[in-house]
Amino acid sequence: MSTIKKLAALLLAIAVVASSAAIFAGVGPAVDLLASFEKEYEKQLFKAESNLLDLAETPGKTTANTLDGQARK
């Protein structure tokens, strides 16, 4: 009986080490993926803000107020 418990404890320890290694191996790519999402979001946000500034600074172009008025018609 003692041998079976030792074998079960050994197998459990191996399973714990293997699952921990898999988790640690997956953390790096997950962080890289999140960083790429963040970079893409910041790029799109900068582009949107830049477009809004260009629209606000250019006379004669459609502004938010005229768009709002058109939507009410």
Side-chain angles (χ1 to χ4, degrees), residues 35-48:
S36 71
F37 287 156
E38 183 181 14
K39 285 179 186 177
E40 184 65 28
Y41 170 77
E42 288 176 356
K43 186 170 78 171
Q44 293 297 328
L45 184 62
F46 178 78
K47 186 176 178 182

Side-chain angles (χ1 to χ4, degrees), residues 12-67:
L12 180 61
I14 291 171
V16 168
V17 169
S19 63
S20 297
I23 290 170
F24 286 127
V27 167
V31 170
D32 292 341
L33 182 63
L34 287 174
S36 71
F37 287 156
E38 183 181 14
K39 285 179 186 177
E40 184 65 28
Y41 170 77
E42 288 176 356
K43 186 170 78 171
Q44 293 297 328
L45 184 62
F46 178 78
K47 186 176 178 182
E49 289 175 349
S50 177
N51 288 341
L52 286 174
L53 286 174
D54 289 345
L55 187 64
E57 292 174 354
T58 307
K61 283 201 170 189
T62 306
T63 63
N65 290 336
T66 58
L67 287 175

